[in-house]
């Protein structure tokens, strides 16, 4: 069938092609490669050490934080230690959080917590892995302190008017993890099953844990 | 009674760690986090004196006035002591 629209910029489905990401290196990408190769050349670091560190970073995931949350849900003494010193409590479970200072904030029947970093994108990577892309956007960072209830609504979390919202602006030397409220109907579930209910977003406060069986 | 503080409304040049939207605003100390080397000096590789870091709690009403979604909600942020001035207790 003849048609006269141009094909240069559209895929067969009629949508624009996604641009490739193989653009030239940025200044800082070039700088990183230069510094890395110099460190190897001078014997400060070995390629194996760099690869091992990348593996460590990739190995961090929200599953670590979820295990901490599940433990806090099942062990009141651990929960008390977590709220008193979240870094020490995480280390106790074998999660090496490095030099990080970590504060756990608890969602209760009348309080919800939301974490943002307006100045940059501070995030507890050592416990939760890489942050979601939206966490680093200007839109999230500016709106989370100005209209957090609207932001939460867009994430599907509708807070009752009676719930007090605490937005934590992680601006300098602290990292935050939200300890979500244990979902109703989760009685009798073991730690492993509970951890599967804990989403990354729930530990930022932008979401809630999954419902059991949901 | 919680300690009341105001974030200094200063505009020093360089790398600063007090978010713009909190400057000049009044809040309460939520907790003290202890001393940290001043990141505003560390950023320039200068000798950095330890400064006390506080978590300060602001109401949305204080930050955004009539535009606040829910005036009684809070923003809590970490502010270094040299950015804070103490205020007399609320009457």
């Amino acid at each position: 069938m003849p048609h006269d629209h141009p094909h240069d910029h559209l895929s067969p489905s009629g949508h624009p092609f996604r641009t490739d990401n193989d653009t030239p290196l940025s200044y800082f990408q070039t700088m990183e490669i230069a510094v890395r190769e110099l460190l190897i050349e001078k014997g400060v670091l070995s390629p194996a050490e760099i690869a091992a560190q990348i593996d460590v970073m990739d190995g961090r995931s929200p599953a670590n934080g979820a295990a901490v949350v599940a433990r806090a849900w099942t062990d009141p003494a651990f929960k008390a230690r977590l709220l008193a010193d979240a870094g020490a409590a995480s280390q106790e479970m074998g999660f090496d959080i490095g030099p990080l200072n970590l504060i756990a904030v608890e969602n209760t029947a009348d309080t919800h917590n939301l974490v943002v970093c307006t100045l940059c994108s501070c995030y507890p990577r050592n416990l939760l892995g890489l942050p979601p892309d939206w966490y680093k956007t200007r839109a999230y960072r500016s709106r989370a302190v100005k209209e957090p209830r609207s932001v939460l609504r867009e994430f599907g979390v509708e807070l009752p008017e009676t719930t007090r919202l605490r937005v934590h602006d992680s601006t300098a030397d602290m990292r935050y993890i939200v300890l979500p409220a244990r979902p109703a109907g989760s009685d009798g579930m073991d730690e492993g099953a509970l951890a599967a209910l804990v989403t990354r977003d729930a530990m930022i406060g932008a979401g809630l844990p999954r419902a059991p069986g949901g | 009674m919680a300690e009341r503080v105001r974030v200094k409304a200063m505009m020093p040049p360089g790398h600063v760690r007090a978010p713009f939207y909190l400057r000049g605003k009044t809040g309460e100390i939520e907790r003290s986090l202890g001393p940290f080397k001043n990141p505003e000096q560390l950023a320039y590789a200068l000798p950095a004196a330890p400064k006390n870091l506080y978590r300060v709690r602001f109401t949305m009403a204080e930050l955004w006035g009539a535009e606040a979604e829910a005036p009684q909600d809070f923003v809590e942020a970490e502010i270094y002591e040299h950015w804070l001035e103490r205020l007399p207790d609320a009457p």
Side-chain angles (χ1 to χ4, degrees), chain B residues 6 9-11 15-16 21 23 25-27 30-31 35 37 41 46-47 55 58 61 63 67-68 72 83-85:
Chain B
R6 183 186 294 128
M10 55 187 182
M11 297 283 285
H15 177 90
V16 297
Y21 74 100
R23 295 184 206 175
K25 303 297 183 184
T26 296
E30 191 261 346
R31 73 181 86 170
K37 286 184 178 176
Q41 292 163 318
L46 296 169
R55 280 175 54 73
F58 305 88
L63 298 183
E67 287 178 42
Q72 74 283 6
W83 276 90
L84 295 175
E85 54 181 327

Side-chain angles (χ1 to χ4, degrees), chain A residues 52-64 95 125-130:
Chain A
Q53 186 58 35
I54 291 171
D55 285 345
V56 167
M57 288 194 280
D58 283 350
R60 293 176 186 141
S61 85
N64 297 357
F95 299 123
R125 290 175 184 232
N126 290 20
L127 195 59
L128 300 187
L130 294 175

Side-chain angles (χ1 to χ4, degrees), chain A residues 142-181:
Chain A
S142 51
R143 292 182 61 213
V145 293
K146 180 83 188 287
E147 44 179 26
R149 286 176 183 255
S150 301
V151 171
L152 284 171
R153 204 169 291 127
E154 289 169 29
F155 277 100
V157 178
E158 182 75 42
L159 287 188
E161 270 180 41
T162 49
T163 297
R164 188 66 56 94
L165 176 59
R166 291 171 69 191
V167 180
H168 303 272
D169 189 353
S170 176
T171 52
D173 295 283
M174 290 288 147
R175 299 291 184 272
Y176 295 87
I177 178 173
V178 174
L179 172 57

Side-chain angles (χ1 to χ4, degrees), chain B residues 75-86:
Chain B
V75 168
E76 297 174 21
E78 301 142 32
I79 310 283
Y80 275 90
E81 59 174 327
H82 58 284
W83 276 90
L84 295 175
E85 54 181 327
R86 303 204 181 275

